[in-house]
C-alpha cells in the first residue's frame, strides 16, 4: 500500500511540475488542465490525446468509486446502523439494492448540483472523515487514566478546537503581528495537548479499549498492522486536514455541516438503537466475528 501511494504521489508531483512548466499556475484551466495547456503551446495532437484520455478514464474512475459504496452500506446494514434493506444479496451474490440506490443518488446529485460546489463539498467531507478516522485511532489505541474518566476524549476535543483556530489564523490572519503571536500561542497549546495525550493516557490492553472488546484482555493479534507514532502522527494528520478544510469555500462547508447534522440525527434516532456493536458487542462465542476482523484490518 505504501509503495503504491508513493508511486502515485510521485507521478502527481511530476505531472504538476510539467503542467506548471507549460503555463503559469494562475493560467491553468481548472476543468481541463493538460489539454488546454497543450493547445496553448501549439501541441494540438497532444491536446486531443489528453482530452480523449480524460473522457475515457473518467467513467472508469467514477465506476471504481461507486463500487465501494454498496459494500459500505452492506457493512453498515449488517451492524444495524442502516436498514437491513441495504444488506440483502440477490441470488447472484450482488448487492443489488445498495447498488441501485447509490447509483440513482449519485446521478441525481451529479445532474443538479454545480460541479464547483460539489468539488469543495466532497473535499470537505473527505477531510472531515480523515480527521475522524485519526481521532478514532487514538481513542481505540489509548485509554483515559483510571482516575480521570473521559480525559482522553476531552483532550482530543481540545486538540481539534486548537487545530481549527490555528489553521484559520494561518490561512486568513497570518499577515498581522497579532495573528502571528496568536498562532504561536495556539501552536504551543496544541503541542502541549498532544504531549498530554501521549504521556498521560496509557495504551489499551486490547484494541478498542473501553469502547469494545476485540478479543480477551491483553490480546494483541500480531498479524494486524499497527499504525506507528500514536498519537503524534494522527494528531498531526488531524491538524493538516483541518488546515486544508478552512481554505475551502464557506458555502460548501455549510452544506456539509447540514449533511453531517442530518446523518448524526439519523444515527441517534435509528442507528444507535439497532447497532449490534452498540447493544450486544461483536464477539460471537468467545471468538472474533468477521466484522471485528474486517474492522481490525483497518
Amino acid at each position: 500500500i505504501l509503495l503504491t501511494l508513493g508511486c502515485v504521489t510521485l507521478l502527481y508531483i511530476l505531472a504538476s511540475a510539467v503542467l506548471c512548466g507549460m503555463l503559469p499556475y494562475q493560467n491553468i484551466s481548472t476543468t481541463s488542465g493538460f489539454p488546454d495547456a497543450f493547445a496553448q503551446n501549439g501541441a494540438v495532437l497532444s491536446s486531443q490525446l489528453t482530452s480523449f484520455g480524460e473522457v475515457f478514464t473518467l467513467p472508469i474512475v467514477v465506476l471504481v468509486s461507486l463500487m465501494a459504496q454498496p459494500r459500505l452500506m452492506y457493512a453498515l446494514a449488517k451492524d444495524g446502523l442502516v436498514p437491513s434493506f441495504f444488506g440483502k444479496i440477490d441470488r447472484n451474490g450482488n448487492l443489488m439494492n445498495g447498488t441501485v440506490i447509490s447509483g440513482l443518488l449519485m446521478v441525481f446529485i451529479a445532474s443538479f448540483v454545480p460541479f464547483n460546489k460539489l468539488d469543495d463539498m466532497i473535499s470537505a467531507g473527505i477531510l472531515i472523515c480523515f480527521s475522524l478516522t485519526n481521532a478514532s485511532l487514538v481513542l481505540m489505541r489509548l485509554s483515559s487514566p483510571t482516575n480521570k474518566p473521559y480525559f482522553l476524549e476531552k483532550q482530543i476535543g481540545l486538540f481539534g478546537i486548537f487545530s481549527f483556530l490555528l489553521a484559520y489564523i494561518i490561512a486568513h490572519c497570518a499577515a498581522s503581528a497579532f495573528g502571528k503571536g496568536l498562532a504561536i500561542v495556539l501552536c504551543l497549546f496544541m503541542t502541549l495537548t498532544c504531549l498530554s495525550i501521549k504521556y498521560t493516557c496509557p495504551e489499551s490492553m486490547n484494541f478498542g479499549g473501553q469502547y469494545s472488546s476485540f478479543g480477551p484482555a491483553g490480546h494483541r493479534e500480531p498479524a494486524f498492522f499497527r499504525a506507528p507514532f500514536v498519537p503524534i502522527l494522527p494528531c498531526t494528520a488531524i491538524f493538516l486536514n483541518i488546515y486544508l478544510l478552512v481554505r475551502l469555500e464557506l458555502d460548501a462547508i455549510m452544506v456539509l455541516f447540514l449533511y453531517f447534522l442530518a446523518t448524526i440525527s439519523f444515527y441517534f434516532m435509528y442507528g444507535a438503537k439497532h447497532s449490534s456493536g452498540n447493544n450486544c458487542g461483536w464477539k460471537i462465542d468467545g471468538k472474533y466475528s468477521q466484522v471485528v476482523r474486517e474492522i481490525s484490518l483497518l
Side-chain angles (χ1 to χ4, degrees):
I1 294 177
L2 295 178
L3 179 61
T4 303
L5 291 175
C7 293
V8 172
T9 302
L10 178 61
L11 290 174
Y12 266 100
I13 293 174
L14 294 175
S16 299
V18 171
L19 188 57
C20 291
M22 289 191 291
L23 284 177
Y25 75 92
Q26 62 268 26
N27 296 336
I28 296 176
S29 172
T30 57
T31 56
S32 186
F34 276 99
D36 181 71
F38 281 125
Q40 292 193 42
N41 283 274
V44 179
L45 179 60
S46 298
S47 176
Q48 293 175 345
L49 288 175
T50 51
S51 297
F52 173 77
E54 289 182 352
V55 174
F56 181 76
T57 57
L58 185 59
I60 298 176
V61 173
V62 173
L63 178 61
V64 172
S65 301
L66 289 177
M67 286 178 64
Q69 186 63 38
R71 182 67 184 179
L72 175 61
M73 300 302 294
Y74 170 80
L76 293 174
K78 284 298 182 182
D79 185 58
L81 291 172
V82 297
S84 58
F85 171 83
F86 293 99
K88 293 182 178 180
I89 302 175
D90 63 12
R91 59 182 181 181
N92 296 320
N94 298 317
L95 299 170
M96 184 60 66
N97 295 340
T99 301
V100 172
I101 297 299
S102 300
L104 291 176
L105 182 61
M106 298 300 176
V107 170
F108 176 81
I109 294 175
S111 300
F112 296 99
V113 179
F115 179 77
N116 59 336
K117 305 297 183 183
L118 186 62
D119 188 25
D120 279 351
M121 189 171 67
I122 292 174
S123 298
I126 292 174
L127 292 171
I128 290 178
C129 289
F130 283 168
S131 298
L132 293 175
T133 301
N134 284 283
S136 299
L137 174 61
V138 178
L139 290 172
M140 300 296 272
R141 283 277 296 275
L142 306 178
S143 59
S144 299
T146 54
N147 59 338
K148 296 180 179 178
Y150 300 107
F151 177 80
L152 176 60
E153 292 81 354
K154 295 176 182 178
Q155 292 297 101
I156 292 179
L158 282 176
F159 183 86
I161 294 173
F162 291 147
S163 297
F164 176 80
L165 294 175
L166 177 60
Y168 185 85
I169 290 174
I170 293 176
H172 302 286
C173 309
S176 64
F178 175 76
K180 293 178 181 178
L182 188 57
I184 294 174
V185 173
L186 288 171
C187 184
L188 178 61
F189 284 163
M190 191 176 69
T191 303
L192 291 176
T193 304
C194 183
L195 293 177
S196 174
I197 295 174
K198 178 176 177 57
Y199 293 108
T200 306
C201 301
E203 184 169 353
S204 301
M205 292 300 297
N206 55 306
F207 186 75
Q210 60 181 327
Y211 297 99
S212 57
S213 181
F214 294 166
H219 178 85
R220 293 193 179 112
E221 178 59 57
F224 292 161
F225 171 78
R226 288 172 58 83
F229 309 116
V230 176
I232 304 299
L233 185 60
C235 286
T236 303
I238 290 173
F239 169 72
L240 293 176
N241 289 328
I242 294 177
Y243 174 73
L244 295 174
L245 177 65
V246 299
R247 300 182 67 88
L248 298 175
E249 295 292 335
L250 181 60
D251 53 355
I253 297 177
M254 293 303 298
V255 172
L256 183 69
F257 174 77
L258 294 176
Y259 168 76
F260 269 95
L261 185 63
T263 54
I264 292 172
S265 301
F266 178 81
Y267 171 76
F268 283 107
M269 289 188 297
Y270 181 90
K273 299 178 182 179
H274 297 83
S275 172
S276 301
N278 190 44
N279 292 294
C280 59
W282 286 310
K283 287 196 301 182
I284 301 177
D285 298 330
K287 301 179 180 179
Y288 289 162
S289 70
Q290 185 63 28
V291 176
V292 172
R293 291 190 178 276
E294 293 178 358
I295 293 176
S296 299
L297 286 173
L298 299 177

